[in-house]
Amino acid sequence: MLSLQDMNEKDFLEFKKLSMVNYKNDKIRANGFTEQEAQDIAEADFKRLLPDGFTSKDNFLFNLVDQDNKTIGYLWYIVQGAQDNRKAFIADIYVEEDNRGKGLGQKAMELLEVHVKSQGLRHIALHVFAFNERAIGLYKKLGYQTT
C-alpha cells in the first residue's frame, strides 16, 4: 500500500536538499557540467520553479508513504499551460534505493494519475534523462509516449 501525503515545511526542506543533489548529479551525468555549474543550475531552477517554497502556486508536493507510515520517496508536479490546456508536469519523482524494484514507482504514478484527474487535468508530461533506463521502462509500461 502506498499513498500520497502533502508535504509540510519540514518535509519540503528535506525533499529540496535531496532533490537538488539528485538533480545536480543528473545534470553532471547527462550534460557533462562541472559540479559548480550543475549546482548553479539546480539552485536557479529551484528558485524559479518554487519561488515561495512549498507554498508556491501551481506546485503539488507529496511524500510517498508506505503501509507502515514511513516516507519512502516523494513526488512533485507543477500545473502548466494555457488556461484551456493545463497539464501536470512531473518535476521530480523519487523512490528510495531500498524500495526500488517493488512496483512502488508504478503505484506512485497511478496515484498521481488519480490526483491529476481530481484537479481537472487531462494530461501528464515529464522529462527523463536518457540514461535513466529504469524510469523510461516504467513510463513506457504505463503507456507514456516519447515526444
Side-chain angles (χ1 to χ4, degrees):
M1 181 72 170
L2 189 73
S3 64
L4 301 178
Q5 292 186 5
D6 292 330
M7 284 186 194
N8 60 35
E9 189 166 11
K10 179 179 177 275
D11 298 331
F12 172 75
L13 294 174
E14 292 173 15
F15 146 79
K16 183 179 176 185
K17 182 178 176 182
L18 178 60
S19 184
M20 284 183 67
V21 167
N22 290 339
Y23 183 55
K24 175 190 78 168
N25 291 337
D26 287 346
K27 294 300 264 182
I28 291 168
R29 184 172 177 189
N31 304 105
F33 290 119
T34 66
E35 189 155 336
Q36 188 59 57
E37 289 171 328
Q39 181 66 36
D40 292 346
I41 291 167
E43 289 174 7
D45 285 352
F46 270 74
K47 185 179 277 188
R48 178 177 51 84
L49 295 171
L50 293 164
D52 298 316
F54 82 104
T55 62
S56 296
K57 186 177 192 262
D58 291 332
N59 283 265
F60 292 81
L61 296 144
F62 300 103
N63 292 317
L64 301 178
V65 179
D66 70 9
Q67 68 277 359
D68 298 321
N69 207 34
K70 180 180 178 266
T71 297
I72 56 97
Y74 54 76
L75 191 150
W76 165 29
Y77 81 86
I78 305 166
V79 178
Q80 298 178 327
Q83 194 60 39
D84 62 343
N85 189 31
R86 312 246 318 138
K87 63 180 153 258
F89 179 83
I90 301 172
D92 200 1
I93 183 169
Y94 173 81
V95 175
E96 293 176 342
E97 290 282 339
D98 293 348
N99 288 291
R100 293 182 186 169
K102 300 177 181 178
L104 297 172
Q106 179 172 336
K107 181 63 177 169
M109 291 297 294
E110 291 166 354
L111 291 169
L112 170 67
E113 291 171 358
V114 170
H115 187 272
V116 163
K117 285 180 186 173
S118 78
Q119 298 298 307
L121 305 171
R122 297 180 313 177
H123 302 285
I124 298 173
L126 58 93
H127 171 269
V128 62
F129 289 103
F131 63 79
N132 194 343
E133 294 175 10
R134 177 180 247 167
I136 291 168
L138 170 64
Y139 300 136
K140 283 183 179 178
K141 179 179 174 183
L142 292 170
Y144 286 82
Q145 298 176 350
T146 305
T147 59

